[in-house]
């Protein structure tokens, strides 16, 4: 039986007011936390791949790294249809940068047998970097297909489509691989009552850094390879440009071209 691992993240609700701590890390206390919306697209893609390949016997495992209080994301993934949930939780992870987080997740994946595919969202709402799939693929020395709108599996090959402002691309790679999906992918399903109740009772496997062979010196804020040195509030939204009748068509065309929209 092959495994599809979906990386999920418990993040502050985008409707909550988000602030930074003195060390420029995101204040995660006192705000509503939910499964990152882009991870719902990732979970939906994994479930579609499982359903489209019944002979492969795929199982879908949701994996999350974060504080012990972050079970909500995993239970939402279980309610959608994940077969199993694993939470990597360790105080030493706090403040980890992209490289440290990817290294910890890579080693956590290594504890899961027969992984054929890792599915992520294109970028988390609390970090918005979008680089983790590529870094994870580099650590694992497997192909990465990113920012996808759809994907299919045939045998040991994954074929995918990426749509962005530059056009539509058809991509292909051999398994195992890492993929990330955008919000142009299939709309996430709503969990049914049976799934919600089963998720509430499901056991979530807990693992620590020691159990996956990662030392505290490889992760955490104090050992991060990158650091935020300054931050500023987003400026108030300014009034947009007003285009008069004279030469309007040319100005609009120039703007759309500059934004890669035509």
């Amino acid at each position: 039986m092959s495994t599809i691992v979906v990386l999920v993240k418990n993040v502050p609700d985008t409707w909550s007011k988000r602030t930074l701590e003195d060390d420029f890390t995101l204040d995660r206390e006192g705000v509503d936390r939910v499964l990152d919306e882009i991870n719902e697209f990732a979970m939906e893609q994994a479930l579609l791949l499982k359903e489209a390949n019944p002979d492969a016997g795929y199982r879908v495992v949701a994996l999350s790294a974060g504080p012990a209080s972050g079970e909500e994301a995993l239970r939402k993934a279980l309610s959608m249809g994940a077969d199993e949930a694993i939470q990597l939780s360790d105080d030493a992870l706090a403040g980890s940068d992209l490289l440290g987080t990817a290294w910890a997740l890579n080693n956590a994946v290594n504890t899961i047998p027969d992984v054929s595919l890792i599915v992520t969202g294109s970028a988390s709402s609390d970090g918005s970097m979008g680089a983790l799939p590529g870094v994870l693929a580099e650590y694992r020395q497997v192909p990465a297909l990113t920012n996808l709108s759809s994907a299919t599996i045939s045998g040991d090959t994954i074929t995918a489509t990426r749509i962005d402002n530059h056009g539509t691309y058809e991509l292909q790679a051999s398994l195992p691989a890492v993929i990330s999906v955008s919000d142009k992918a299939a709309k996430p399903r709503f969990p049914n009552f049976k799934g919600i109740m089963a998720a509430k009772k499901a056991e979530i496997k807990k693992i620590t850094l020691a159990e996956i062979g990662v030392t505290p010196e490889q992760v955490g804020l104090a050992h991060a390879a990158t650091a935020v040195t300054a931050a500023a509030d987003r400026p108030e939204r300014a009034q947009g440009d007003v285009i008069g009748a004279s030469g309007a068509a040319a100005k609009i065309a120039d703007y759309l071209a500059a934004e890669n929209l035509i």
Side-chain angles (χ1 to χ4, degrees):
M1 179 179 290
S2 296
T3 304
I4 300 175
V5 176
V6 184
L7 301 185
V8 302
K9 192 174 186 181
N10 198 244
V11 299
D13 193 328
T14 53
W15 292 100
S16 301
K17 183 178 180 180
R18 289 181 285 184
T19 58
L20 298 177
E21 302 277 15
D22 292 339
D23 58 6
F24 298 114
T25 58
L26 190 64
D27 180 5
R28 299 179 183 273
E29 300 300 325
V31 295
D32 294 330
R33 286 178 287 183
V34 296
L35 170 63
D36 202 347
E37 184 178 3
I38 196 64
N39 294 157
E40 295 186 33
F41 286 87
M43 179 56 64
E44 179 64 26
Q45 186 61 68
L47 295 172
L48 290 174
L49 289 171
K50 174 184 175 179
E51 293 162 358
N53 296 274
D55 293 340
Y58 284 119
R59 66 181 185 128
V60 175
V61 176
L63 171 63
S64 181
S69 58
E71 284 188 6
E72 185 65 27
L74 289 169
R75 297 208 181 273
K76 178 63 178 292
L78 286 167
S79 72
M80 291 179 67
D83 299 298
E84 184 182 344
I86 301 174
Q87 183 179 35
L88 171 61
S89 185
D90 198 297
D91 290 343
L93 276 171
S96 296
D97 65 354
L98 168 67
L99 298 178
T101 299
W103 182 246
L105 287 170
N106 174 61
N107 282 271
V109 171
N110 286 342
T111 67
I112 303 171
D114 301 319
V115 175
S116 295
L117 185 67
I118 301 173
V119 187
T120 79
S122 54
S124 64
S125 63
D126 60 344
S128 301
M129 294 185 68
L132 188 140
V135 173
L136 185 59
E138 181 65 21
Y139 282 150
R140 302 188 69 77
Q141 290 294 286
V142 299
L145 305 181
T146 59
N147 203 34
L148 306 179
S149 57
S150 64
T152 59
I153 290 176
S154 178
D156 292 329
T157 301
I158 182 165
T159 302
T161 301
R162 176 194 295 152
I163 301 174
D164 61 23
N165 292 341
H166 299 282
T168 300
Y169 304 86
E170 298 300 325
L171 309 171
Q172 192 174 86
S174 58
L175 297 176
V178 176
I179 67 171
S180 69
V181 299
S182 72
D183 57 6
K184 293 182 175 67
K187 187 176 180 180
R189 65 193 65 187
F190 289 104
N192 57 33
F193 180 75
K194 182 179 179 181
I196 292 171
M197 296 308 296
K200 286 183 177 181
K201 300 176 183 177
E203 180 181 355
I204 294 177
K205 182 180 179 181
K206 304 293 183 68
I207 56 177
T208 64
L209 291 178
E211 291 173 310
I212 62 173
V214 175
T215 66
E217 291 76 24
Q218 294 174 310
V219 296
L221 183 62
H223 307 287
T226 58
V228 178
T229 59
D233 291 336
R234 180 178 294 177
E236 293 286 337
R237 188 171 182 176
Q239 180 180 348
D241 295 332
V242 178
I243 298 176
S246 177
K251 292 177 181 178
I252 293 173
D254 289 343
Y255 171 80
L256 294 175
E259 296 295 321
N260 294 313
L261 296 175
I262 58 173

